[in-house]
Every structure is written in structure tokens, then in C-alpha cells.
Amino acid sequence: MKLHSMIATLGLALTSTGAFAFHCPADMKKIDEALAKSPKLSVSQMADVKKYRADGEALHKAGKHQESVDTLAKAMGILGVK
């Protein structure tokens, strides 16, 4: 019984990591599309969006997908993108 539980847990962990991996590029694309429309943001907001976008991509490439999703969400929040 323990073996089945461990296998199920491992499978869920690997599946969720893969889901976040595919989520990051989609979020980056949404941010890029919003930036291409020249949103009306303050200089500070624009700097924050660009920093969160770059940090999110770096985290994605480092395999830290949950951190990437969280960071990209900050940029999307400033841009008003869902």
C-alpha cells in the first residue's frame, strides 16, 4: 500500500512540474503582447514589468517553474493581463 501511495505522489509531483513548465512560456507571451501595445504605465511600473518578465524567464530556464509563474504573475498584474 505504501508503495502505491509513493508512486502516486511522485507521479502527481512530476505532472504538476510539467504543467508549470508549459505555463511560463504562455505567461511570457501574454506579457510580451501587452508590452507591444505600449501600455500607459509609469516609468517605475514599466521597469518593474520588464524586471519581472526577465526574472520570470530566468527562473523558468533554471527549472524553478512555480517561482517563475509567481514572478510573471506580478508583471501581468501591473499590466492588467489575465
Side-chain angles (χ1 to χ4, degrees):
M1 184 66 173
K2 284 185 179 182
L3 181 60
H4 292 296
S5 296
M6 288 174 49
I7 292 171
T9 302
L10 180 61
L12 287 173
L14 293 174
T15 303
S16 64
T17 301
F20 286 127
F22 292 110
H23 198 272
C24 305
D27 287 351
M28 287 185 273
K29 183 179 177 183
K30 288 178 186 178
I31 293 166
D32 293 343
E33 289 171 351
L35 287 173
K37 295 177 183 176
S38 300
K40 295 189 187 285
L41 299 175
S42 70
V43 173
S44 175
Q45 287 175 314
M46 184 61 79
D48 287 344
V49 168
K50 288 181 179 181
K51 180 182 183 326
Y52 292 141
R53 166 62 174 84
D55 290 350
E57 184 171 4
L59 289 164
H60 170 72
K61 288 181 179 179
K64 298 178 180 181
H65 300 292
Q66 182 59 57
E67 291 176 55
S68 175
V69 168
D70 294 342
T71 302
L72 294 169
K74 293 176 186 177
M76 292 170 62
I78 295 169
L79 290 166
V81 174
K82 293 183 180 185

Coordinates of all heavy atoms in Angstrom, one line a residue:
M1 N 0.8 -1.2 0.0 CA 0.0 0.0 0.0 C 0.9 1.3 0.0 O 0.6 2.2 -0.7 CB -0.9 0.0 1.2 CG -1.9 1.1 1.3 SD -3.1 0.9 -0.1 CE -4.2 2.2 0.3
K2 N 1.9 1.2 0.8 CA 2.8 2.4 0.9 C 3.5 2.7 -0.5 O 3.6 3.8 -0.9 CB 3.9 2.2 1.9 CG 3.4 2.4 3.3 CD 4.6 2.3 4.3 CE 4.1 2.6 5.7 NZ 5.3 2.5 6.6
L3 N 3.8 1.6 -1.2 CA 4.5 1.7 -2.5 C 3.6 2.4 -3.5 O 4.0 3.3 -4.2 CB 4.9 0.4 -3.0 CG 5.6 0.4 -4.4 CD1 6.9 1.3 -4.3 CD2 6.0 -1.0 -4.8
H4 N 2.3 2.0 -3.5 CA 1.3 2.6 -4.4 C 1.1 4.1 -4.1 O 1.1 4.9 -5.0 CB 0.0 1.9 -4.3 CG 0.0 0.5 -4.8 ND1 0.2 0.3 -6.1 CD2 -0.2 -0.7 -4.2 CE1 0.2 -1.0 -6.3 NE2 -0.1 -1.6 -5.2
S5 N 1.1 4.5 -2.8 CA 1.0 5.9 -2.4 C 2.2 6.7 -2.8 O 2.1 7.8 -3.3 CB 0.8 6.0 -0.9 OG -0.4 5.4 -0.5
M6 N 3.4 6.1 -2.7 CA 4.6 6.8 -3.0 C 4.6 7.0 -4.6 O 5.0 8.1 -5.0 CB 5.8 6.0 -2.6 CG 6.0 6.1 -1.1 SD 7.3 5.1 -0.4 CE 8.7 5.5 -1.4
I7 N 4.2 6.0 -5.3 CA 4.2 6.1 -6.8 C 3.2 7.2 -7.2 O 3.5 8.0 -8.1 CB 4.0 4.8 -7.4 CG1 5.1 3.8 -7.2 CG2 3.7 4.9 -8.9 CD1 4.9 2.4 -7.6
A8 N 2.1 7.2 -6.6 CA 1.0 8.2 -7.0 C 1.5 9.6 -6.7 O 1.3 10.5 -7.4 CB -0.3 7.9 -6.2
T9 N 2.1 9.8 -5.5 CA 2.6 11.1 -5.1 C 3.7 11.5 -6.1 O 3.7 12.7 -6.5 CB 3.2 11.0 -3.7 OG1 2.1 10.6 -2.8 CG2 3.7 12.4 -3.2
L10 N 4.6 10.7 -6.4 CA 5.7 11.0 -7.3 C 5.1 11.4 -8.7 O 5.5 12.4 -9.3 CB 6.7 9.9 -7.5 CG 7.9 10.1 -8.4 CD1 8.7 11.3 -7.9 CD2 8.7 8.8 -8.5
G11 N 4.1 10.6 -9.1 CA 3.5 10.9 -10.4 C 2.8 12.3 -10.4 O 3.0 13.0 -11.4
L12 N 2.1 12.6 -9.4 CA 1.5 13.9 -9.3 C 2.5 15.0 -9.2 O 2.3 16.1 -9.9 CB 0.6 14.0 -8.0 CG -0.7 13.2 -8.1 CD1 -1.4 13.2 -6.8 CD2 -1.6 13.7 -9.2
A13 N 3.6 14.8 -8.5 CA 4.6 15.9 -8.4 C 5.2 16.1 -9.8 O 5.5 17.3 -10.2 CB 5.7 15.4 -7.4
L14 N 5.5 15.1 -10.5 CA 6.1 15.3 -11.9 C 5.2 15.9 -12.8 O 5.5 16.7 -13.7 CB 6.6 13.9 -12.4 CG 7.8 13.3 -11.6 CD1 8.1 11.9 -12.2 CD2 9.0 14.2 -11.7
T15 N 3.9 15.5 -12.7 CA 2.9 16.1 -13.6 C 2.7 17.6 -13.4 O 2.6 18.4 -14.3 CB 1.5 15.3 -13.4 OG1 1.8 14.0 -13.7 CG2 0.5 15.9 -14.4
S16 N 2.6 18.0 -12.1 CA 2.4 19.4 -11.8 C 3.6 20.2 -12.2 O 3.4 21.3 -12.7 CB 2.1 19.6 -10.3 OG 3.2 19.2 -9.5
T17 N 4.8 19.7 -12.1 CA 6.0 20.4 -12.5 C 5.9 20.7 -14.0 O 6.2 21.8 -14.5 CB 7.3 19.7 -12.2 OG1 7.3 19.5 -10.8 CG2 8.5 20.4 -12.6
G18 N 5.5 19.7 -14.8 CA 5.4 19.8 -16.2 C 4.3 20.9 -16.6 O 4.5 21.6 -17.5
A19 N 3.3 20.9 -15.8 CA 2.2 21.9 -16.1 C 2.7 23.3 -15.9 O 2.4 24.2 -16.7 CB 1.0 21.6 -15.2
F20 N 3.5 23.5 -14.8 CA 4.1 24.8 -14.6 C 5.1 25.2 -15.7 O 5.2 26.3 -16.1 CB 4.7 24.9 -13.3 CG 3.8 25.0 -12.1 CD1 3.9 24.1 -11.1 CD2 2.8 25.9 -12.1 CE1 3.0 24.1 -10.0 CE2 1.9 26.0 -11.0 CZ 2.0 25.1 -10.0
A21 N 5.8 24.2 -16.2 CA 6.8 24.5 -17.2 C 6.1 25.0 -18.5 O 6.7 25.8 -19.2 CB 7.6 23.2 -17.6
F22 N 4.9 24.5 -18.8 CA 4.2 24.9 -20.0 C 3.5 26.3 -19.8 O 3.2 27.0 -20.7 CB 3.3 23.9 -20.5 CG 4.0 22.7 -21.0 CD1 3.9 21.5 -20.4 CD2 4.7 22.7 -22.2 CE1 4.6 20.4 -20.9 CE2 5.3 21.6 -22.7 CZ 5.3 20.4 -22.0
H23 N 3.2 26.6 -18.5 CA 2.5 27.8 -18.1 C 3.4 29.0 -18.3 O 3.0 30.1 -18.7 CB 2.1 27.6 -16.7 CG 1.0 28.6 -16.3 ND1 1.2 29.8 -15.8 CD2 -0.4 28.4 -16.3 CE1 0.1 30.4 -15.5 NE2 -0.9 29.6 -15.8
C24 N 4.7 28.9 -18.0 CA 5.6 30.0 -18.0 C 5.7 30.7 -19.4 O 5.6 31.9 -19.5 CB 7.0 29.6 -17.6 SG 7.1 28.8 -15.9
P25 N 6.0 29.9 -20.5 CA 6.1 30.5 -21.8 C 4.8 31.2 -22.2 O 4.8 32.2 -22.9 CB 6.4 29.3 -22.7 CG 7.1 28.3 -21.8 CD 6.3 28.5 -20.5
A26 N 3.6 30.6 -21.8 CA 2.4 31.3 -22.2 C 2.2 32.6 -21.5 O 1.8 33.6 -22.1 CB 1.2 30.4 -21.8
D27 N 2.6 32.7 -20.2 CA 2.6 33.9 -19.5 C 3.6 35.0 -20.1 O 3.2 36.1 -20.2 CB 2.9 33.7 -18.0 CG 1.8 33.0 -17.3 OD1 0.7 32.9 -17.8 OD2 2.0 32.6 -16.1
M28 N 4.7 34.5 -20.4 CA 5.7 35.4 -21.0 C 5.2 36.0 -22.3 O 5.3 37.2 -22.6 CB 7.1 34.7 -21.3 CG 7.8 34.4 -20.0 SD 9.5 33.7 -20.2 CE 9.1 32.0 -20.3
K29 N 4.5 35.2 -23.1 CA 3.9 35.6 -24.4 C 2.8 36.7 -24.1 O 2.8 37.7 -24.8 CB 3.3 34.4 -25.1 CG 2.7 34.8 -26.5 CD 2.2 33.6 -27.2 CE 1.6 34.0 -28.5 NZ 1.0 33.0 -29.3
K30 N 2.0 36.4 -23.1 CA 1.0 37.4 -22.8 C 1.6 38.8 -22.4 O 1.1 39.8 -22.8 CB 0.1 36.9 -21.6 CG -0.8 35.8 -22.0 CD -1.6 35.3 -20.8 CE -2.5 34.1 -21.1 NZ -3.2 33.6 -19.9
I31 N 2.7 38.7 -21.6 CA 3.3 39.9 -21.2 C 3.9 40.6 -22.4 O 3.8 41.9 -22.6 CB 4.4 39.6 -20.1 CG1 3.8 39.1 -18.8 CG2 5.3 40.8 -19.9 CD1 4.7 38.5 -17.9
D32 N 4.6 39.9 -23.3 CA 5.2 40.5 -24.5 C 4.1 41.1 -25.4 O 4.4 42.2 -25.9 CB 6.0 39.4 -25.3 CG 7.2 38.9 -24.5 OD1 7.7 39.6 -23.6 OD2 7.7 37.9 -24.9
E33 N 3.0 40.5 -25.5 CA 1.9 41.0 -26.3 C 1.4 42.3 -25.7 O 1.1 43.3 -26.4 CB 0.8 40.0 -26.5 CG 1.2 38.8 -27.4 CD 0.2 37.7 -27.4 OE1 -0.8 37.7 -26.6 OE2 0.3 36.8 -28.3
A34 N 1.2 42.3 -24.4 CA 0.7 43.5 -23.7 C 1.8 44.7 -23.9 O 1.4 45.8 -24.1 CB 0.5 43.2 -22.3
L35 N 3.0 44.4 -23.7 CA 4.1 45.4 -23.9 C 4.1 45.9 -25.3 O 4.4 47.1 -25.5 CB 5.4 44.8 -23.5 CG 5.7 44.6 -22.0 CD1 7.0 43.9 -21.8 CD2 5.6 45.9 -21.2
A36 N 3.8 45.1 -26.3 CA 3.9 45.5 -27.7 C 2.8 46.6 -28.0 O 2.9 47.3 -28.9 CB 3.7 44.3 -28.6
K37 N 1.7 46.6 -27.1 CA 0.6 47.6 -27.3 C 0.9 48.9 -26.6 O 0.0 49.8 -26.5 CB -0.7 47.0 -26.8 CG -1.1 45.8 -27.5 CD -2.4 45.2 -26.9 CE -2.8 43.9 -27.7 NZ -3.9 43.2 -27.0
S38 N 2.2 49.1 -26.2 CA 2.6 50.3 -25.5 C 1.6 50.8 -24.4 O 0.9 51.8 -24.5 CB 2.7 51.5 -26.5 OG 3.7 51.1 -27.4
P39 N 1.5 50.0 -23.3 CA 0.5 50.3 -22.3 C 0.9 51.6 -21.6 O 2.1 52.0 -21.5 CB 0.7 49.1 -21.3 CG 2.0 48.6 -21.5 CD 2.3 48.8 -23.0
K40 N 0.0 52.3 -21.0 CA 0.2 53.5 -20.3 C 0.6 53.2 -18.9 O -0.3 53.0 -18.0 CB -1.1 54.4 -20.3 CG -1.4 54.8 -21.7 CD -2.5 55.9 -21.7 CE -3.0 56.2 -23.1 NZ -2.1 57.0 -23.9
L41 N 1.9 53.1 -18.7 CA 2.4 52.8 -17.3 C 3.4 53.9 -17.0 O 4.0 54.5 -17.8 CB 3.1 51.4 -17.4 CG 2.3 50.2 -17.7 CD1 3.3 49.0 -17.8 CD2 1.3 49.9 -16.7
S42 N 3.6 54.0 -15.7 CA 4.6 55.0 -15.2 C 6.0 54.3 -15.5 O 6.1 53.1 -15.8 CB 4.5 55.2 -13.7 OG 4.8 54.0 -13.0
V43 N 7.0 55.2 -15.4 CA 8.4 54.7 -15.7 C 8.7 53.6 -14.7 O 9.3 52.5 -15.0 CB 9.4 55.8 -15.6 CG1 10.8 55.3 -15.7 CG2 9.1 56.9 -16.7
S44 N 8.3 53.7 -13.4 CA 8.6 52.7 -12.4 C 7.8 51.4 -12.7 O 8.4 50.4 -12.5 CB 8.1 53.3 -11.0 OG 8.2 52.3 -10.0
Q45 N 6.6 51.5 -13.1 CA 5.8 50.3 -13.4 C 6.4 49.6 -14.6 O 6.5 48.4 -14.6 CB 4.3 50.7 -13.7 CG 3.5 51.1 -12.5 CD 2.1 51.6 -12.9 OE1 2.0 52.4 -13.9 NE2 1.1 51.1 -12.2
M46 N 6.8 50.3 -15.6 CA 7.4 49.7 -16.8 C 8.7 49.0 -16.4 O 9.0 47.9 -16.8 CB 7.7 50.7 -17.9 CG 8.2 50.1 -19.2 SD 7.1 48.9 -20.0 CE 6.0 50.1 -20.8
A47 N 9.5 49.6 -15.5 CA 10.7 49.0 -15.1 C 10.4 47.7 -14.3 O 11.1 46.7 -14.5 CB 11.5 50.0 -14.2
D48 N 9.4 47.8 -13.5 CA 9.0 46.6 -12.7 C 8.6 45.4 -13.6 O 8.9 44.3 -13.4 CB 7.9 46.9 -11.7 CG 8.4 47.7 -10.5 OD1 9.6 47.8 -10.3 OD2 7.5 48.3 -9.8
V49 N 7.7 45.8 -14.6 CA 7.2 44.8 -15.5 C 8.4 44.1 -16.3 O 8.5 42.9 -16.4 CB 6.2 45.4 -16.5 CG1 6.0 44.4 -17.7 CG2 4.9 45.7 -15.9
K50 N 9.3 44.9 -16.8 CA 10.4 44.4 -17.5 C 11.3 43.5 -16.6 O 11.8 42.4 -17.0 CB 11.2 45.5 -18.1 CG 10.5 46.1 -19.3 CD 11.3 47.2 -20.0 CE 10.5 47.8 -21.1 NZ 11.3 48.9 -21.8
K51 N 11.5 43.9 -15.3 CA 12.3 43.1 -14.4 C 11.6 41.8 -14.1 O 12.3 40.7 -14.1 CB 12.5 43.9 -13.1 CG 13.4 43.1 -12.1 CD 13.5 43.9 -10.8 CE 14.4 43.2 -9.8 NZ 14.4 41.8 -9.7
Y52 N 10.3 41.8 -13.8 CA 9.6 40.6 -13.5 C 9.6 39.7 -14.7 O 9.7 38.5 -14.6 CB 8.2 40.9 -13.1 CG 8.0 41.6 -11.7 CD1 7.1 42.6 -11.6 CD2 8.8 41.3 -10.7 CE1 6.9 43.2 -10.3 CE2 8.7 41.9 -9.4 CZ 7.8 42.9 -9.3 OH 7.6 43.5 -8.1
R53 N 9.5 40.2 -15.9 CA 9.5 39.4 -17.1 C 10.8 38.7 -17.3 O 10.9 37.5 -17.5 CB 9.2 40.3 -18.3 CG 9.4 39.7 -19.7 CD 8.6 38.5 -20.0 NE 8.8 38.0 -21.4 CZ 9.7 37.2 -21.8 NH1 10.7 36.8 -20.9 NH2 9.8 36.8 -23.0
A54 N 11.9 39.5 -17.1 CA 13.2 38.9 -17.3 C 13.5 37.9 -16.2 O 14.1 36.8 -16.4 CB 14.3 40.0 -17.2
D55 N 13.2 38.2 -14.9 CA 13.4 37.3 -13.8 C 12.6 36.0 -14.0 O 13.0 34.9 -13.7 CB 13.0 37.9 -12.5 CG 14.0 39.1 -12.1 OD1 15.0 39.2 -12.7 OD2 13.6 39.8 -11.1
G56 N 11.3 36.2 -14.5 CA 10.5 35.0 -14.7 C 11.1 34.1 -15.7 O 11.0 32.8 -15.6
E57 N 11.6 34.6 -16.8 CA 12.2 33.8 -17.8 C 13.5 33.1 -17.3 O 13.7 31.9 -17.5 CB 12.6 34.6 -19.0 CG 13.2 33.8 -20.2 CD 13.4 34.5 -21.5 OE1 13.1 35.8 -21.5 OE2 13.7 33.9 -22.5
A58 N 14.3 33.8 -16.5 CA 15.5 33.2 -15.9 C 15.1 32.0 -14.9 O 15.7 31.0 -15.0 CB 16.3 34.2 -15.2
L59 N 14.0 32.3 -14.2 CA 13.6 31.2 -13.2 C 13.1 30.0 -14.0 O 13.3 28.9 -13.7 CB 12.5 31.8 -12.3 CG 13.0 32.7 -11.2 CD1 11.8 33.5 -10.6 CD2 13.8 32.0 -10.2
H60 N 12.3 30.3 -15.1 CA 11.8 29.2 -16.0 C 13.0 28.3 -16.5 O 13.0 27.1 -16.4 CB 11.0 29.8 -17.1 CG 10.6 28.8 -18.2 ND1 9.7 27.8 -17.9 CD2 11.1 28.6 -19.4 CE1 9.6 27.0 -19.0 NE2 10.4 27.5 -20.0
K61 N 14.0 29.0 -17.0 CA 15.2 28.3 -17.6 C 15.9 27.5 -16.5 O 16.6 26.5 -16.8 CB 16.1 29.3 -18.3 CG 15.5 29.8 -19.6 CD 16.4 30.8 -20.3 CE 15.8 31.3 -21.6 NZ 16.7 32.2 -22.3
A62 N 15.9 28.0 -15.3 CA 16.5 27.3 -14.2 C 15.7 26.2 -13.6 O 16.1 25.5 -12.7 CB 16.8 28.3 -13.1
G63 N 14.5 26.0 -14.2 CA 13.6 24.9 -13.7 C 12.8 25.2 -12.5 O 12.2 24.4 -11.9
K64 N 12.8 26.5 -12.1 CA 12.0 26.9 -10.9 C 10.7 27.5 -11.4 O 10.4 28.7 -11.4 CB 12.8 28.0 -10.2 CG 14.2 27.5 -9.6 CD 14.9 28.5 -8.9 CE 16.3 28.0 -8.4 NZ 17.0 29.0 -7.7
H65 N 9.9 26.6 -11.8 CA 8.6 26.9 -12.5 C 7.6 27.6 -11.6 O 7.0 28.6 -12.1 CB 8.0 25.7 -13.3 CG 9.0 25.2 -14.3 ND1 9.4 25.9 -15.4 CD2 9.7 24.1 -14.3 CE1 10.2 25.2 -16.1 NE2 10.5 24.1 -15.4
Q66 N 7.4 27.2 -10.4 CA 6.5 27.9 -9.5 C 6.9 29.3 -9.3 O 6.1 30.2 -9.3 CB 6.2 27.1 -8.2 CG 5.2 27.7 -7.3 CD 3.8 27.8 -8.0 OE1 3.3 26.8 -8.4 NE2 3.3 29.0 -8.1
E67 N 8.2 29.5 -9.0 CA 8.7 30.8 -8.8 C 8.6 31.7 -10.0 O 8.3 32.9 -10.0 CB 10.2 30.8 -8.4 CG 10.4 30.2 -7.0 CD 11.9 30.0 -6.6 OE1 12.6 31.0 -6.7 OE2 12.3 28.9 -6.3
S68 N 8.8 31.1 -11.2 CA 8.6 31.8 -12.4 C 7.2 32.2 -12.6 O 6.9 33.4 -13.0 CB 9.0 30.9 -13.6 OG 8.8 31.5 -14.8
V69 N 6.2 31.3 -12.4 CA 4.8 31.6 -12.6 C 4.4 32.8 -11.6 O 3.7 33.7 -12.0 CB 3.9 30.4 -12.3 CG1 2.5 30.8 -12.2 CG2 4.1 29.4 -13.4
D70 N 4.9 32.7 -10.4 CA 4.6 33.7 -9.4 C 5.2 35.1 -9.8 O 4.5 36.1 -9.6 CB 5.1 33.3 -8.0 CG 4.4 32.1 -7.4 OD1 3.3 31.8 -7.9 OD2 5.0 31.5 -6.5
T71 N 6.4 35.1 -10.3 CA 7.1 36.3 -10.7 C 6.4 36.9 -11.9 O 6.1 38.1 -12.0 CB 8.6 36.1 -11.0 OG1 9.2 35.5 -9.8 CG2 9.3 37.3 -11.4
L72 N 6.1 36.1 -12.9 CA 5.4 36.6 -14.1 C 4.0 37.1 -13.8 O 3.5 38.0 -14.4 CB 5.3 35.4 -15.1 CG 6.6 35.0 -15.7 CD1 6.5 33.7 -16.5 CD2 7.3 36.1 -16.6
A73 N 3.4 36.5 -12.8 CA 2.0 37.0 -12.3 C 2.1 38.4 -11.8 O 1.1 39.2 -12.0 CB 1.5 36.1 -11.2
K74 N 3.2 38.8 -11.2 CA 3.4 40.2 -10.8 C 3.4 41.2 -12.0 O 2.7 42.2 -11.9 CB 4.7 40.4 -10.0 CG 4.7 39.6 -8.6 CD 6.0 39.7 -8.0 CE 6.1 38.9 -6.7 NZ 7.4 38.9 -6.1
A75 N 4.1 40.8 -13.0 CA 4.1 41.6 -14.2 C 2.8 41.7 -14.9 O 2.3 42.8 -15.3 CB 5.2 41.1 -15.2
M76 N 2.1 40.5 -14.9 CA 0.8 40.5 -15.5 C -0.2 41.3 -14.7 O -1.1 42.0 -15.3 CB 0.3 39.0 -15.6 CG 1.1 38.3 -16.7 SD 0.8 36.5 -16.6 CE -0.9 36.4 -17.1
G77 N -0.1 41.4 -13.4 CA -0.9 42.2 -12.5 C -0.8 43.7 -12.8 O -1.8 44.4 -12.9
I78 N 0.5 44.1 -13.0 CA 0.7 45.5 -13.3 C 0.1 45.9 -14.7 O -0.5 46.9 -14.8 CB 2.2 45.8 -13.3 CG1 2.8 45.6 -11.9 CG2 2.5 47.2 -13.8 CD1 4.3 45.6 -11.8
L79 N 0.2 44.9 -15.6 CA -0.3 45.2 -17.0 C -1.8 45.0 -17.1 O -2.4 45.4 -18.1 CB 0.4 44.2 -18.0 CG 1.9 44.5 -18.2 CD1 2.5 43.3 -18.9 CD2 2.0 45.8 -19.1
G80 N -2.4 44.4 -16.1 CA -3.8 44.1 -16.1 C -4.2 42.9 -17.1 O -5.2 42.9 -17.6
V81 N -3.2 42.0 -17.2 CA -3.4 40.8 -18.1 C -3.8 39.6 -17.3 O -3.2 39.4 -16.2 CB -2.1 40.6 -18.9 CG1 -2.2 39.3 -19.7 CG2 -1.7 41.7 -19.7
K82 N -4.7 38.8 -17.8 CA -5.1 37.6 -17.1 C -4.6 36.4 -17.8 O -4.4 36.3 -18.9 CB -6.6 37.6 -16.9 CG -7.1 38.6 -16.1 CD -8.6 38.5 -15.9 CE -9.1 39.6 -15.0 NZ -10.5 39.5 -14.7

